[in-house]
Amino acid sequence: AQRVTQPEKLLSVFKGAPVELKCNYSYSGSPELFWYVQYSRQRLQLLLRHISRESIKGFTADLNKGETSFHLKKPFAQEEDSAMYYCALQTGANNLFFGTGTRLTVIP
Amino acid sequence: DVKVTQSSRYLVKRTGEKVFLECVQDMDHENMFWYRQDPGLGLRLIYFSYDVKMKEKGDIPEGYSVSREKKERFSLILESASTNQTSMYLCATLANRASNTGELFFGEGSRLTVL
């Protein structure tokens, strides 16, 4: 069965420090993975997707099929990065499974 | 720009009341979803619809029903609200597979409190 695990509910880092939000998945097929973000008082929105291999707001995420991971990384955290982050796995045309989320707090 | 509008941002209802949550989208997306968002539990799929009058159960459909009479509108119904249905409810849309990039577009959410 498909599953997305985000082991950290809360993560605090100092401004300027590197940040890594962990995501592991379980899926027998070919995964498509995403990171969604929800800033305070804003709607949930897509941050990045693995197939695009893009860097958004300084964040990157690499799909590691051997470790079944899709960790989100940023070398220098900013205060505006404080938000709720969800990892998501798309398994079919219309099925997305979300992890339980990690609340990131960047301390000034 | 995709717009997904949820009719009520905040609702307070009593146990046993019938509750309607409505979601309207203006992007002609085929797929619509209802999730509930709870701290520590993430987003859990209640129901989704891939076409008018079509619906599929998600992971936690018990206590809920849905209606999709028009493409742009997807309603979530709580026939008899209970306190454990106090939550944030999120509506989302997704373009059809041929054209979608996997990006869900979310509404602002409806926070329901059941007393």
Side-chain angles (χ1 to χ4, degrees):
Chain A
Q2 49 277 348
R3 188 170 183 168
V4 177
T5 303
Q6 293 181 250
E8 304 139 329
K9 288 186 179 180
L10 303 170
L11 181 64
S12 295
V13 299
F14 285 100
K15 178 182 174 181
V19 61
E20 181 179 67
L21 291 88
K22 292 184 168 54
C23 172
N24 288 89
Y25 67 92
S26 173
Y27 179 52
S28 57
S30 183
E32 292 189 37
L33 286 140
F34 306 83
W35 277 98
Y36 281 80
V37 61
Q38 189 170 29
Y39 301 103
S40 179
R41 297 190 181 87
Q42 294 188 28
R43 63 185 71 199
L44 194 58
Q45 59 187 290
L46 179 68
L47 178 62
L48 55 79
R49 70 203 86 192
H50 91 269
I51 56 173
S52 301
R53 296 183 173 274
E54 56 201 344
S55 173
I56 303 293
K57 298 184 179 182
F59 283 99
T60 58
D62 292 319
L63 176 60
N64 185 324
K65 291 188 178 180
E67 296 183 356
T68 61
S69 68
F70 188 57
H71 303 326
L72 184 68
K73 300 177 183 178
K74 185 170 183 177
F76 307 103
Q78 302 299 314
E79 289 179 66
E80 56 266 29
D81 296 329
S82 294
M84 192 74 179
Y85 291 81
Y86 292 96
C87 182
L89 166 69
Q90 184 172 15
T91 61
N94 307 316
N95 296 333
L96 279 94
F97 294 89
F98 286 84
T100 51
T102 299
R103 182 170 295 283
L104 173 66
T105 301
V106 179
I107 304 164
Chain B
D1 202 21
V2 176
K3 192 165 184 183
V4 182
T5 304
Q6 294 183 231
S7 56
S8 304
R9 292 294 305 278
Y10 301 94
L11 300 95
V12 179
K13 298 291 183 181
R14 295 200 177 275
T15 300
E17 281 192 87
K18 192 169 185 175
V19 182
F20 289 90
L21 299 178
E22 293 207 316
C23 176
V24 178
Q25 53 111 349
D26 67 356
M27 279 300 291
D28 203 34
H29 283 176
E30 288 77 8
N31 305 290
M32 297 187 75
F33 304 80
W34 276 106
Y35 290 90
R36 61 177 284 176
Q37 182 183 32
D38 299 289
L41 297 177
L43 272 70
R44 292 180 291 167
L45 182 63
I46 305 171
Y47 267 97
F48 68 97
S49 168
Y50 54 87
D51 203 351
V52 176
K53 297 193 185 296
M54 304 302 289
K55 60 184 179 184
E56 294 284 344
K57 292 181 180 179
D59 301 317
I60 52 164
E62 296 78 19
Y64 303 94
S65 62
V66 290
S67 173
R68 183 113 181 256
E69 294 297 317
K70 293 184 178 181
K71 189 175 185 179
E72 67 271 19
R73 188 180 297 269
F74 191 36
S75 302
L76 180 69
I77 304 153
L78 288 68
E79 292 289 342
S80 178
S82 62
T83 54
N84 63 13
Q85 292 177 310
T86 292
S87 186
M88 173 68 86
Y89 290 88
L90 298 181
C91 174
T93 72
L94 178 70
N96 217 15
R97 182 59 174 173
S99 56
N100 89 48
T101 55
E103 181 175 2
L104 284 172
F105 294 88
F106 285 88
E108 291 184 295
S110 298
R111 183 167 293 283
L112 172 66
T113 301
V114 183
L115 302 176

